[in-house]
Amino acid sequence: MAAPVQPKKIVAPTVSQINAEFVTQLACKYWAPHIKKKSPFDIKVIEEIYEKEIVKSRFAIRKIMLLEFSQYLENYLWMNYSPEVSSKAYLMSICCMVNEKFRENVPAWETFKKKPDHFPFFFKCILKAALAENDGEFSLHEQTVLLLFLDHCFNSLEVDLIRSQVQQLISLPMWMGLQPARLELELKKTPKLRKFWNLIKKNDEKMDPEAREQAYQERRFLSQLIQKFISVLKSVPLSEPVTMDKVHYCERFIELVIDLEALLPTRRWFNTILDDSHLLVHCYLSNLVHREEDGHLFSQLLDMLKFYTGFEINDQTGNALTENEMTTIHYDRITSLQRAAFAHFPELYDFALSNVAEVDTRESLVKFFGPLSSNTLHQVASYLCLLPTLPKNEDTTFDKEFLLELLVSRHERRISQIQQLNQMPLYPTEKIIWDENIVPTEYYSGEGCLALPKLNLQFLTLHDYLLRNFNLFRLESTYEIRQDIEDSVSRMKPWQSEYGGVVFGGWARMAQPIVAFTVVEVAKPNIGENWPTRVRADVTINLNVRDHIKDEWEGLRKHDVCFLITVRPTKPYGTKFDRRRPFIEQVGLVYVRGCEIQGMLDDKGRVIEDGPEPRPNLRGESRTFRVFLDPNQYQQDMTNTIQNGAEDVYETFNIIMRRKPKENNFKVVGPPGTGKTDVAVQIISNIYHNFPEQRTLIVTHSNQALNQLFEKIMALDIDERHLLRLGHGEEELETEKDFSRYGRVNYVLARRIELLEEVKRLQKSLGVPGDASYTCETAGYFFLYQVMSRWEEYISKVKNKGSTLPDVMEISTFFPFHEYFANAPQPIFKGRSYEEDMEIAEGCFRHIKKIFTQLEEFRASELLRSGLDRSKYLLVKEAKIIAMTCTHAALKRHDLVKLGFKYDNILMEEAAQILEIETFIPLLLQNPQDGFSRLKRWIMIGDHHQLPPVIKNMAFQKYSNMEQSLFTRFVRVGVPTVDLDAQGRARASLCNLYNWRYKNLGNLPHVQLLPEFSTANAGLLYDFQLINVEDFQGVGESEPNPYFYQNLGEAEYVVALFMYMCLLGYPADRISILTTYNGQKHLIRDIINRRCGNNPLIGRPNKVTTVDRFQGQQNDYILLSLVRTRAVGHLRDVRRLVVAMSRARLGLYIFARVSLFQNCFELTPAFSQLTARPLHLHIIPTEPFPTTRKNGERPSHEVQIIKNMPQMANFVYNMYMHLIQTTHHYHQTFLQLPPAMVEEGEEGQSQETELEAEEEAMLIQADDIPSPPDVSCSQETLASRPDSTPNQTETTASQTGANSRPETVTASVPGAVTTPVKATTPQDATSAPTKTN
């Protein structure tokens, strides 16, 4: 297998490089938002930029990034566009900017919607340019850019402005592009269309000639574009060199056609045009398909297009076609061909008289039609309205190969989509895992197209929707599998031994060499299938490892997925592994196959089943696991072995790799702090009490969110026997109670004993002989014959007897349960009124009845003897509120359905963070009843303005839009929502930083009234502030590993502010430090460990984590590091900005390179507020925590301005030393007090010892505090106006150099110990949750 070419990462320019760019200089002159006096519009500027910066660089992404980021489109191009100034350069510049916005995944059409007048003219110019001759005004590269722009337009039909232009290209009048015979055939198929067609022709006659000609051009646009593409495709030679511009044009065109076919509004009329053009036949016969390297992606795209052109859907009605309907269509086509053959072609009589099953295979069709001449084939096709009629005495202009393929491909039997899906292997193999067109690397830049499905706003059928999600979910998992395999196998260091075998020079926690592998069962296929129903194998490994790793391997559960790997290294022993070179050729990887664990075998070769019983202790270190192999893959491999003589894959495996377990109809839209979780809890409570017979399933994406929700439910008045928490995260619940399945079983058994003891006490109090409390069954009889009889007799005596007034005293006199309630507060009955005492009596009986009701529910636990059976019964019958993660639902779906699991309501918390396919799975955990779903309510709670589901592969995230949740899809298509419109988390001033993103987000009254919100933040002038951080020691951001971004200056500054706040008296647990990248998170943690982590005066913050990880959480004070100094990075996603700004309740302090972020168009609403305040930190060091100063008041203490990080480090050091000296002086004074002022001798002596120990600890910790830098850092007193902007940051003298090794970033403040932080794996590089080995 050929090793894939390692792609190169696009490096963003630095701020200094940006400032030096010609584009930046022009921006500062003509359109930069912060420039007040701009030069007037000049069309020559656009021409110059396009020619010099874009065309000359061959549309380099770096140049286009600079232009787009400078707000070229918003502030110059579209603002000044009109038909008078329109030109090629102008059109292409706008298209480049729009394409770049889509590549960056930021809103692209907002600017056009603000000024829509000239968009129709602009769009018509684009259409004309797309059809220009190849050697004309527009080059093929430029037309490829136009194709991409058009593709974005067709995928933006939800935008009214775009839809109004696009729909003219894809409506019924576009059938003008059909050949006349085909048009007549289609109108005949659907009679109502003829009426519409006649109406179109009448309207056309009323139009003036110019308008009619314009309309005809638009209607024929896609037909003409197809013909243009075919001409470009035919110009590609078979073996001679070809320009990549042609290849990319062809790839982009097929991508456009796929998207048109995959959207119902565009497909309806376009599919007939596409079929009439025979595009697929031209493509499959083209030279490009046969060029192995250049045509690889084109061929994959072509297969996708073939799938969609034959999709099982009625183009006119949009209804999905059943397998029978598809078979009928196929038979109609074949019989039409047979009728034409019988009537007009005597040489095809044998074909015409054969049954369909004999002639509808490709081999049969080629056998019958292959001998015919080209002219005859053309005539057959024309009878079927596939080609124009061939004039008499003229030869066809089409090749015989084309004509034969046209007839064969149209009439051959096709396998149904369900069959294709069922025959598809479950696990990815080495051919898919390392195919960059299907599973791109982390370096995907968004430039090229890929052979991946897209999750557009619309889809064809439910099958199409689920299939796209399934394929992408599978490929996203494949990307993670590739990372795991590369990490584990490279750690094992496979080398070639001197005898040609394999020797492992290292070890991996997640992988082990295979000692023995044996296929033990290949079950017979089901009827109608050609693959075995089950394939099982035994894998033996030697667990000569540490005990905790051994426990992990022995802890593999049923359904856990592992991978079997074959490596045949060619490198000699001791060769160093180089991560920069292709992985496969270095380790000699040959095969990868997936398998599913059934269980570990015991000493007798039996599978050890999961359950509450303890696992047997096995002797020795050899362990054998029984695994299920993929039957489809096994059948394919065996067929290849038998037919082609290939080696048996299943005799070659030498590594097994495991992976970490992944526990790992109205909607509520809730902005940050509006109480989404509380609303969810209240909904659950309402359903539980109003519909006690109904069962509710709670689903979240993460264990953390599920536990947070479950803990709030536990606090409600819900009987805990009705609560059940499934999955691995249950142990993290902050409760001593066990809500897992077996924990609930134990609770039921213990509760049963308690209740039977109560029955025994009741029996004794009534003087009934026997043992009524022996079982739940005997207790039931006791209640029926002894308790109920006494109660009914009692009621007959004390009930209201018509006109006779009841005697209040009779209620107490005749009450039969006095002795049982002797332990209750006495007297039980007050004797004040009949109604009051009767209510007390009925309450007492309800208490007794509840005991027997619960025992009746627990009766099954007596009949079911095993813990497993009891847990199943509890899940299916007893529990009313069941909570699990969507991952657990996916893993256990088969088991739950098999058990007969039922539920009436689903509540999904964090719905905007759950993948679409993961949202669907919890809906399918029960079988329908009588053909109908039992589900009554589906409640989705989330916020689509916050972060979407985590997608680790950028290609799936950007190209395929996989990060869109079903919740977001519903909101985008206009499904009604219930919006929470008042927040109670943050100060009103902090809320203003993100409330612009929501419709009418206000504040709850307590945000204005409570003292904590009205009081200022002690020692800090502002409640929020953006602090500008320049390069430290000449370095801003650094990237020791791909996407592992760090910024030493910001990290030190953040930690210094944290230490300052703690020294003022802030509780450390009320402060959290957030950052936008994992690299910075590790760096900050390391600095805290060195500076203050173990210092009793300071301590550690509540959390140091990424913004993504902190979603759904909050704290009083947030210190935020934005890290980047070259490019804005993924903070440009406004959803991440909203999360970052909305985590703080009382104070938010952001450290960033202001010159970079203030120019970002998408961040303007927040950063315009942030930059309105001074950009240097303003502190009040003499104001201790807590303060009485009101927020916004001018402080009575002196305000100091901190201009840079070294100054802050210097200040904190001096402050800390002063505090230690003051404490030392206090201790000395305290210890010298006269004896009368202290307690007796021994206590005073122990207090003295404690003070000395504490002082010694603080003095030791002082060694870790940074010593003052060798700079003169002035501290200015704040001017009279509190909002006055301080001067620019002063330059500091040179500091001690930072370690510059390529994989190390050193946290170094003068006088402190250096702190290297190394990037471990590429998955540490983003702010998304990562896995570590």
Side-chain angles (χ1 to χ4, degrees):
M1 185 175 67
V5 179
Q6 295 291 92
K8 294 182 179 179
K9 178 174 178 272
I10 292 178
V11 180
T14 64
V15 174
S16 59
Q17 289 172 331
I18 290 174
N19 292 334
E21 285 280 351
F22 172 66
V23 167
T24 307
Q25 296 170 11
L26 286 177
C28 293
K29 184 177 180 182
Y30 288 99
W31 68 81
H34 59 276
I35 302 298
K36 294 181 179 179
K37 293 184 179 180
K38 300 182 179 69
S39 299
F41 173 74
D42 186 355
I43 185 64
K44 293 180 180 177
V45 172
I46 295 174
E47 302 282 346
E48 188 177 13
I49 290 176
Y50 181 69
E51 292 299 331
K52 291 185 177 180
E53 299 295 311
I54 298 179
V55 175
K56 193 174 180 180
S57 68
R58 289 193 56 78
F59 295 81
I61 283 292
R62 183 175 174 276
K63 296 286 187 180
I64 295 175
M65 280 173 60
L66 284 174
L67 280 166
E68 190 277 324
F69 187 72
S70 71
Q71 303 184 30
Y72 185 40
L73 175 66
E74 295 85 354
N75 295 343
Y76 203 69
L77 285 176
W78 192 247
M79 178 186 290
N80 299 299
Y81 182 80
S82 67
E84 293 75 24
V85 296
S86 183
S87 65
K88 171 191 170 182
Y90 216 139
L91 294 176
M92 293 303 305
S93 298
I94 292 175
C95 288
C96 288
M97 295 304 103
V98 171
N99 292 347
E100 176 61 17
K101 283 188 177 292
F102 273 95
R103 192 187 74 86
E104 291 279 358
N105 214 12
V106 297
W109 304 116
E110 301 303 317
T111 304
F112 299 93
K113 288 192 283 187
K114 292 176 183 176
K115 187 188 173 187
D117 298 343
H118 297 308
F119 190 80
F121 177 82
F122 165 76
F123 193 74
K124 289 178 176 60
C125 293
I126 296 296
L127 300 183
K128 184 179 178 181
L131 294 175
E133 293 296 327
N134 298 343
D135 53 355
E137 183 182 3
F138 290 83
S139 68
L140 207 56
H141 194 141
E142 290 172 325
Q143 290 183 331
T144 306
V145 173
L146 296 176
L147 283 182
L148 183 56
F149 175 81
L150 288 172
D151 193 25
H152 293 321
C153 291
F154 283 115
N155 281 310
S156 302
L157 294 180
E158 74 275 14
V159 181
D160 294 339
L161 178 67
I162 306 301
R163 187 172 61 252
S164 63
Q165 300 303 312
V166 166
Q167 66 186 7
Q168 301 172 34
L169 308 179
I170 53 171
S171 54
L172 177 58
M174 76 181 300
W175 277 8
M176 288 182 64
L178 294 174
Q179 54 164 313
R182 180 64 183 270
L183 174 61
E184 190 62 29
L185 178 66
E186 295 298 329
L187 294 178
K188 191 176 179 180
K189 281 184 190 175
T190 316
K192 69 176 183 178
L193 292 182
R194 188 176 296 279
K195 177 182 175 182
F196 294 132
W197 189 257
N198 292 334
L199 189 61
I200 290 169
K201 290 201 292 188
K202 286 182 181 180
N203 291 336
D204 288 350
E205 291 171 359
K206 297 176 184 178
M207 299 169 67
D208 62 80
E210 186 177 347
R212 189 186 309 124
E213 181 61 30
Q214 177 64 41
Y216 285 180
Q217 288 179 0
E218 291 176 354
R219 294 170 189 176
R220 291 194 176 100
F221 170 74
L222 287 172
S223 299
Q224 293 173 345
L225 192 63
I226 290 173
Q227 296 307 316
K228 173 180 171 58
F229 160 74
I230 292 174
S231 67
V232 174
L233 182 65
K234 288 184 176 179
S235 68
V236 176
L238 180 61
S239 56
E240 290 79 11
V242 61
T243 62
M244 290 311 294
D245 284 351
K246 283 187 179 181
V247 176
H248 293 154
Y249 179 87
C250 293
E251 291 169 350
R252 282 295 183 191
F253 181 83
I254 297 296
E255 178 191 16
L256 170 62
V257 176
I258 290 171
D259 288 346
L260 290 172
E261 285 284 281
L263 290 172
L264 204 56
T266 55
R267 176 193 178 91
R268 184 177 184 184
W269 312 110
F270 175 73
N271 191 42
T272 307
I273 291 285
L274 185 66
D275 186 61
D276 189 52
S277 70
H278 314 305
L279 178 74
L280 274 175
V281 179
H282 285 293
C283 289
Y284 276 114
L285 296 177
S286 67
N287 292 329
L288 185 55
V289 167
H290 299 98
R291 295 179 71 101
E292 188 172 345
E293 290 188 11
D294 298 336
H296 182 57
L297 175 57
F298 181 78
S299 299
Q300 292 174 325
L301 290 167
L302 207 53
D303 290 338
M304 289 182 64
L305 179 57
K306 182 180 179 181
F307 171 80
Y308 276 110
T309 53
F311 197 82
E312 299 167 355
I313 187 175
N314 185 309
D315 292 337
Q316 301 306 318
T317 64
N319 295 330
L321 298 176
T322 64
E323 191 169 347
N324 287 339
E325 289 171 328
M326 290 298 296
T327 303
T328 302
I329 292 172
H330 170 65
Y331 272 63
D332 288 345
R333 285 185 174 180
I334 285 283
T335 52
S336 296
L337 179 60
Q338 287 180 315
R339 284 196 297 268
F342 184 81
H344 304 286
F345 303 98
E347 57 266 55
L348 290 175
Y349 275 175
D350 288 345
F351 169 77
L353 297 175
S354 300
N355 64 59
V356 173
E358 282 188 28
V359 297
D360 66 349
T361 63
R362 173 169 281 269
E363 293 77 12
S364 299
L365 290 168
V366 170
K367 172 187 171 185
F368 283 110
F369 289 89
L372 301 182
S373 66
S374 298
N375 288 345
T376 306
L377 290 173
H378 187 134
Q379 290 171 350
V380 173
S382 65
Y383 275 111
L384 300 174
C385 301
L386 299 178
L387 291 175
T389 304
L390 183 65
K392 289 184 178 181
N393 303 321
E394 288 190 19
D395 291 332
T396 180
T397 58
F398 296 99
D399 294 335
K400 180 178 178 179
E401 186 182 20
F402 168 81
L403 294 167
L404 182 62
E405 180 64 25
L406 172 61
L407 292 173
V408 170
S409 61
R410 187 174 185 81
H411 297 96
E412 66 179 326
R413 184 193 312 155
R414 292 186 180 181
I415 187 171
S416 73
Q417 293 172 0
I418 293 296
Q419 285 178 305
Q420 288 179 6
L421 198 58
N422 289 335
Q423 293 178 12
M424 188 167 62
L426 185 59
Y427 307 107
T429 66
E430 70 285 347
K431 293 180 181 177
I432 295 177
I433 294 175
W434 282 276
D435 189 332
E436 302 293 345
N437 294 329
I438 301 176
V439 189
T441 66
E442 64 271 19
Y443 295 109
Y444 176 72
S445 63
E447 284 185 274
C449 65
L450 299 168
L452 295 175
K454 297 179 183 177
L455 295 182
N456 302 315
L457 190 61
Q458 297 179 325
F459 48 91
L460 298 181
T461 63
L462 182 62
H463 172 78
D464 174 42
Y465 169 74
L466 292 176
L467 192 60
R468 291 192 211 186
N469 275 282
F470 169 73
N471 285 331
L472 284 173
F473 190 79
R474 187 167 174 261
L475 292 174
E476 166 72 0
S477 301
T478 301
Y479 173 71
E480 297 177 14
I481 290 166
R482 180 172 71 196
Q483 291 180 313
D484 291 346
I485 291 176
E486 290 183 356
D487 181 62
S488 297
V489 175
S490 60
R491 289 175 185 272
M492 293 187 72
K493 299 179 182 176
W495 292 316
Q496 186 180 50
S497 68
E498 56 186 20
Y499 302 107
V502 182
V503 60
F504 296 101
W507 74 281
R509 181 175 187 167
M510 309 302 289
Q512 286 292 321
I514 292 177
V515 176
F517 180 90
T518 309
V519 176
V520 296
E521 181 189 18
V522 180
K524 292 181 179 180
N526 291 326
I527 296 175
E529 297 176 351
N530 63 352
W531 59 88
T533 53
R534 182 174 64 249
V535 181
R536 295 193 296 172
D538 287 350
V539 185
T540 303
I541 58 176
N542 189 10
L543 292 179
N544 184 17
V545 291
R546 299 172 192 165
D547 289 343
H548 69 280
I549 299 177
K550 185 176 183 179
D551 292 341
E552 290 175 3
W553 279 95
E554 292 182 344
L556 285 173
R557 300 185 176 198
K558 189 176 183 179
H559 303 307
D560 282 351
V561 173
C562 293
F563 284 88
L564 305 165
I565 303 168
T566 300
V567 292
R568 290 180 183 144
T570 57
K571 307 294 182 183
Y573 192 94
T575 304
K576 190 175 180 181
F577 183 80
D578 186 356
R579 292 187 180 273
R580 292 170 295 184
R581 293 181 52 224
F583 167 78
I584 291 176
E585 67 177 34
Q586 290 192 77
V587 300
L589 187 140
V590 183
Y591 302 118
V592 174
R593 297 291 182 270
C595 64
E596 183 180 296
I597 296 290
Q598 181 184 3
M600 189 168 67
L601 303 186
D602 61 16
D603 294 333
K604 297 180 181 179
R606 296 175 300 190
V607 174
I608 303 171
E609 299 289 346
D610 290 334
E613 296 80 13
R615 284 172 162 256
N617 291 322
L618 302 180
R619 292 172 294 178
E621 295 172 344
S622 179
R623 297 290 182 268
T624 300
F625 295 91
R626 182 150 294 162
V627 299
F628 291 107
L629 301 177
D630 183 357
N632 291 335
Q633 186 65 57
Y634 185 83
Q635 186 265 341
Q636 290 181 14
D637 289 333
M638 290 297 103
T639 301
N640 187 38
T641 299
I642 295 168
Q643 294 182 356
N644 302 324
E647 71 174 330
D648 186 348
V649 174
Y650 300 89
E651 293 181 356
T652 65
F653 299 132
N654 47 22
I655 295 176
I656 182 171
M657 185 197 78
R658 63 186 172 94
R659 304 183 68 214
K660 291 188 177 181
K662 288 196 172 183
E663 279 287 334
N664 333 237
N665 345 11
F666 74 90
K667 302 172 299 303
V668 176
V669 178
T674 54
K676 294 185 290 294
T677 304
D678 293 329
V679 170
V681 170
Q682 193 58 51
I683 290 172
I684 293 166
S685 176
N686 291 348
I687 294 174
Y688 176 81
H689 289 103
N690 292 325
F691 306 96
E693 76 286 352
Q694 293 187 8
R695 313 180 78 225
T696 300
L697 176 63
I698 303 170
V699 178
T700 69
H701 179 64
S702 66
N703 278 307
Q704 178 183 340
L706 189 62
N707 288 341
Q708 183 182 0
L709 183 61
F710 201 79
E711 285 164 6
K712 291 191 175 184
I713 294 171
M714 286 157 47
L716 296 175
D717 55 339
I718 293 177
D719 194 325
E720 68 173 82
R721 77 178 191 275
H722 291 148
L723 296 175
L724 179 62
R725 164 72 162 88
L726 299 179
H728 289 309
E730 186 276 333
E731 58 272 10
E732 298 171 10
L733 281 171
E734 293 184 3
T735 176
E736 295 179 358
K737 299 175 181 177
D738 187 352
F739 284 92
S740 67
R741 284 168 63 175
Y742 293 115
R744 292 295 85 196
V745 168
N746 293 335
Y747 166 79
V748 166
L749 296 176
R751 182 65 177 156
R752 168 184 167 273
I753 293 172
E754 292 174 8
L755 294 176
L756 288 176
E757 284 297 319
E758 288 297 302
V759 173
K760 186 176 182 180
R761 193 165 68 84
L762 177 61
Q763 178 189 2
K764 183 178 180 181
S765 70
L766 297 178
V768 177
D771 191 0
S773 63
Y774 183 64
T775 66
C776 295
E777 183 180 10
T778 57
Y781 293 136
F782 171 69
F783 175 73
L784 184 62
Y785 294 115
Q786 301 293 339
V787 179
M788 279 300 297
S789 61
R790 284 170 169 78
W791 175 253
E792 290 170 354
E793 180 184 356
Y794 168 72
I795 288 296
S796 66
K797 291 178 181 179
V798 301
K799 70 179 180 180
N800 197 335
K801 301 184 179 77
S803 58
T804 308
L805 292 173
D807 186 355
V808 177
M809 299 308 296
E810 289 181 353
I811 297 176
S812 176
T813 303
F814 295 129
F815 187 65
F817 308 117
H818 271 295
E819 186 176 343
Y820 177 73
F821 286 102
N823 57 357
Q826 302 294 326
I828 296 176
F829 300 100
K830 311 301 180 188
R832 290 191 288 261
S833 71
Y834 175 85
E835 290 77 11
E836 181 185 8
D837 282 7
M838 199 64 210
E839 177 61 32
I840 292 173
E842 289 174 347
C844 291
F845 182 71
R846 281 196 300 271
H847 173 76
I848 292 173
K849 187 177 180 180
K850 186 178 179 182
I851 293 173
F852 292 95
T853 302
Q854 291 188 37
L855 283 172
E856 181 61 28
E857 293 178 0
F858 295 162
R859 187 175 174 184
S861 65
E862 294 180 341
L863 302 175
L864 301 170
R865 308 310 300 169
S866 74
L868 182 61
D869 290 340
R870 287 168 176 166
S871 70
K872 289 178 179 178
Y873 176 83
L874 182 74
L875 172 63
V876 174
K877 296 290 186 183
E878 180 75 10
K880 301 292 186 209
I881 298 173
I882 305 101
M884 65 180 77
T885 63
C886 52
T887 305
H888 184 83
L891 291 173
K892 302 297 182 182
R893 179 189 174 274
H894 178 76
D895 295 341
L896 292 171
V897 172
K898 190 176 178 181
L899 280 175
F901 181 56
K902 302 291 181 187
Y903 50 92
D904 304 276
N905 314 291
I906 285 186
L907 184 141
M908 290 185 178
E909 171 73 303
E910 289 187 327
Q913 284 187 274
I914 304 177
L915 289 172
E916 292 197 75
I917 194 70
E918 290 180 327
T919 308
F920 251 88
I921 292 171
L923 303 177
L924 306 174
L925 299 183
Q926 61 183 347
N927 285 322
Q929 292 180 330
D930 302 322
F932 296 93
S933 173
R934 174 173 166 161
L935 194 62
K936 299 176 179 65
R937 298 174 190 85
W938 180 12
I939 304 145
M940 303 175 75
I941 300 179
D943 182 4
H944 59 291
H945 290 307
Q946 294 191 54
L947 286 169
V950 174
I951 305 297
K952 292 186 178 180
N953 190 298
M954 297 299 289
F956 303 140
Q957 177 186 329
K958 290 184 176 183
Y959 184 84
S960 297
N961 196 28
M962 190 181 175
E963 68 176 6
Q964 177 178 262
S965 63
L966 187 60
F967 183 94
T968 304
R969 179 189 291 275
F970 283 159
V971 173
R972 286 183 65 195
V973 298
V975 176
T977 61
V978 177
D979 290 356
L980 306 179
D981 57 2
Q983 69 89 26
R985 171 186 294 170
R987 299 184 196 269
S989 57
L990 294 182
C991 179
N992 290 336
L993 294 174
Y994 56 87
N995 66 4
W996 51 270
R997 188 65 175 157
Y998 300 89
K999 293 177 185 176
N1000 298 300
L1001 180 58
N1003 301 296
L1004 293 172
H1006 72 264
V1007 172
Q1008 310 285 354
L1009 301 176
L1010 290 182
E1012 65 173 336
F1013 292 103
S1014 58
T1015 305
N1017 295 340
L1020 296 160
L1021 183 60
Y1022 300 106
D1023 53 2
F1024 70 83
Q1025 198 177 359
L1026 174 63
I1027 298 117
N1028 185 48
V1029 183
E1030 296 296 336
D1031 289 355
F1032 175 57
Q1033 299 176 351
V1035 178
E1037 72 173 61
S1038 58
E1039 190 182 7
N1041 270 358
Y1043 303 109
F1044 195 79
Y1045 293 106
Q1046 297 181 328
N1047 186 318
L1048 180 57
E1050 284 187 18
E1052 289 282 7
Y1053 212 151
V1054 166
V1055 175
L1057 179 57
F1058 164 72
M1059 294 168 64
Y1060 165 77
M1061 294 173 71
C1062 291
L1063 293 174
L1064 285 179
Y1066 283 86
D1069 63 350
R1070 292 177 63 184
I1071 305 171
S1072 291
I1073 299 178
L1074 304 184
T1075 179
T1076 46
Y1077 289 92
N1078 267 324
Q1080 187 77 341
K1081 174 192 73 177
H1082 290 301
L1083 180 58
I1084 292 173
R1085 285 180 179 176
D1086 207 45
I1087 292 174
I1088 287 174
N1089 288 338
R1090 296 298 183 106
R1091 298 280 185 267
C1092 57
N1094 300 316
N1095 193 313
L1097 284 182
I1098 301 173
R1100 300 176 184 273
N1102 179 275
K1103 280 191 177 178
V1104 178
T1105 187
T1106 60
V1107 170
D1108 296 49
R1109 282 277 193 176
F1110 206 66
Q1111 178 163 334
Q1113 303 175 61
Q1114 63 184 33
N1115 208 344
D1116 289 349
Y1117 308 98
I1118 297 294
L1119 312 183
L1120 174 64
S1121 169
L1122 300 186
V1123 186
R1124 302 299 298 275
T1125 59
R1126 296 173 180 238
V1128 172
H1130 59 204
L1131 190 70
R1132 195 172 181 185
D1133 186 337
V1134 177
R1135 296 168 297 185
R1136 185 168 279 104
L1137 175 74
V1138 168
V1139 175
M1141 298 291 146
S1142 60
R1143 301 304 96 197
R1145 296 180 67 247
L1146 305 176
L1148 174 64
Y1149 302 94
I1150 304 169
F1151 298 81
R1153 182 65 55 85
V1154 175
S1155 60
L1156 175 68
F1157 289 93
Q1158 70 178 356
N1159 288 329
C1160 184
F1161 179 73
E1162 291 75 22
L1163 309 184
T1164 301
F1167 273 80
S1168 60
Q1169 298 179 59
L1170 292 168
T1171 54
R1173 293 185 174 183
L1175 301 179
H1176 291 149
L1177 181 62
H1178 286 53
I1179 63 174
I1180 313 168
T1182 55
E1183 182 182 55
F1185 176 91
T1187 182
T1188 56
R1189 176 170 59 93
K1190 295 298 181 185
N1191 193 32
E1193 280 186 3
R1194 181 170 178 78
S1196 57
H1197 301 267
E1198 182 183 51
V1199 176
Q1200 293 184 328
I1201 301 173
I1202 303 297
K1203 293 191 173 183
N1204 50 42
M1205 183 275 291
Q1207 181 184 352
M1208 188 64 182
N1210 177 52
F1211 183 87
V1212 171
Y1213 175 83
N1214 292 333
M1215 183 178 181
Y1216 182 83
M1217 296 306 296
H1218 176 73
L1219 184 62
I1220 287 182
Q1221 292 167 4
T1222 304
T1223 306
H1224 180 73
H1225 177 71
Y1226 168 77
H1227 288 176
Q1228 293 295 327
T1229 306
F1230 182 82
L1231 294 173
Q1232 292 174 8
L1233 290 175
M1237 296 182 65
V1238 293
E1239 298 294 333
E1240 293 298 327
E1242 288 186 8
E1243 188 171 339
Q1245 185 176 356
S1246 71
Q1247 192 171 14
E1248 175 183 343
T1249 305
E1250 289 177 6
L1251 289 170
E1252 288 177 348
E1254 182 180 348
E1255 179 184 345
E1256 182 179 353
M1258 287 190 295
L1259 288 172
I1260 291 172
Q1261 291 295 332
D1263 294 338
D1264 290 333
I1265 300 297
S1267 59
D1270 186 19
V1271 292
S1272 56
C1273 297
S1274 63
Q1275 299 172 345
E1276 294 184 2
T1277 304
L1278 188 66
S1280 57
R1281 289 189 296 114
D1283 288 336
S1284 60
T1285 304
N1287 296 328
Q1288 296 295 319
T1289 305
E1290 296 177 355
T1291 56
T1292 61
S1294 61
Q1295 309 295 324
T1296 54
N1299 193 323
S1300 59
R1301 287 179 293 169
E1303 291 198 355
T1304 304
V1305 170
T1306 307
S1308 173
V1309 171
V1313 182
T1314 57
T1315 310
V1317 177
K1318 292 189 178 181
T1320 54
T1321 58
Q1323 48 262 58
D1324 285 334
T1326 65
S1327 137
T1330 58
K1331 301 178 295 184
T1332 54
N1333 225 10

